[in-house]
Amino acid sequence: MTETSTLAESYTEMTELLLPNDTNNLGRALGGAVLHWMDIAGAISGMRFANTQVVTASMDHVDFISPIDLGEVAVVQAYVFNTGRSSIDVKVDVRAEDPREGEERKTTASYFTFVALDDDGNPTAVPDLTCPSEEEEALREEAIEGRREQFESLVERMGD
């Protein structure tokens, strides 16, 4: 295992064309399909970062901001923004692109935590995260702040 890995090394982007099998009766993406894509992109990001198998430990609150319509392209972006001993925190964002019009919009966002596993399926140590560029550090800070705000909002809602 390498001792450090960068945010850029974990960066993952997947694209999916929204087809009828992944839509509801309104011709929009099923939430479960979107969550599936997010989980896969997050896991790939975690595996790229840790150079080992990872499993999903948790998914934070998910915001479905805008629908993805039949025929649009879903772009799923993921990157590691924080680590623990064996855990990896991944920011996952989804946007929709209309390939005919060239328009795009943010549709979904969440934070995932994965646990790295060794060859025997036991939790294993992960590299330390480094952000050698200003762009990587800005993405990391944005994710940390966004997760903090999401957590504070949840605490506030639960207090009502």
Side-chain angles (χ1 to χ4, degrees):
M1 176 188 81
T2 58
E3 292 186 24
T4 65
S5 191
T6 67
L7 184 147
E9 290 171 319
S10 77
Y11 182 82
T12 298
E13 182 173 291
M14 290 177 19
T15 55
E16 295 282 343
L17 178 63
L18 185 59
L19 298 172
N21 281 346
D22 289 323
T23 63
N24 60 24
N25 60 338
L26 300 173
R28 294 180 168 162
L30 291 166
V34 175
L35 294 175
H36 177 79
W37 300 333
M38 293 172 77
D39 192 30
I40 290 171
I44 292 168
S45 177
M47 288 187 289
R48 285 178 169 169
F49 179 83
N51 295 309
T52 191
Q53 183 63 44
V54 301
V55 293
T56 309
S58 69
M59 176 190 323
D60 290 6
H61 174 87
V62 179
D63 290 315
F64 291 98
I65 302 160
S66 176
I68 304 169
D69 294 318
L70 181 65
E72 289 187 318
V73 175
V75 180
V76 186
Q77 296 173 304
Y79 60 88
V80 173
F81 70 93
N82 210 5
T83 62
R85 191 191 72 73
S86 63
S87 64
I88 302 166
D89 293 331
V90 180
K91 172 87 166 91
V92 183
D93 291 307
V94 183
R95 72 177 190 274
E97 293 180 354
D98 182 335
R100 296 171 308 257
E101 303 293 326
E103 297 173 358
E104 62 179 58
R105 68 188 174 286
K106 187 173 182 175
T107 65
T108 318
S110 189
Y111 302 91
F112 287 67
T113 299
F114 295 89
V115 173
L117 301 178
D118 64 18
D119 291 339
D120 296 321
N122 298 311
T124 189
V126 299
D128 290 329
L129 174 65
T130 61
C131 297
S133 73
E134 288 183 20
E135 181 181 354
E136 288 174 88
E137 188 59 38
L139 284 172
R140 181 176 188 273
E141 290 302 320
E142 178 184 310
I144 289 170
E145 179 63 18
R147 191 177 218 185
R148 185 189 63 73
E149 288 173 2
Q150 188 181 70
F151 180 72
E152 288 174 356
S153 175
L154 176 65
V155 168
E156 189 176 296
R157 284 192 307 264
M158 293 184 74
D160 289 341

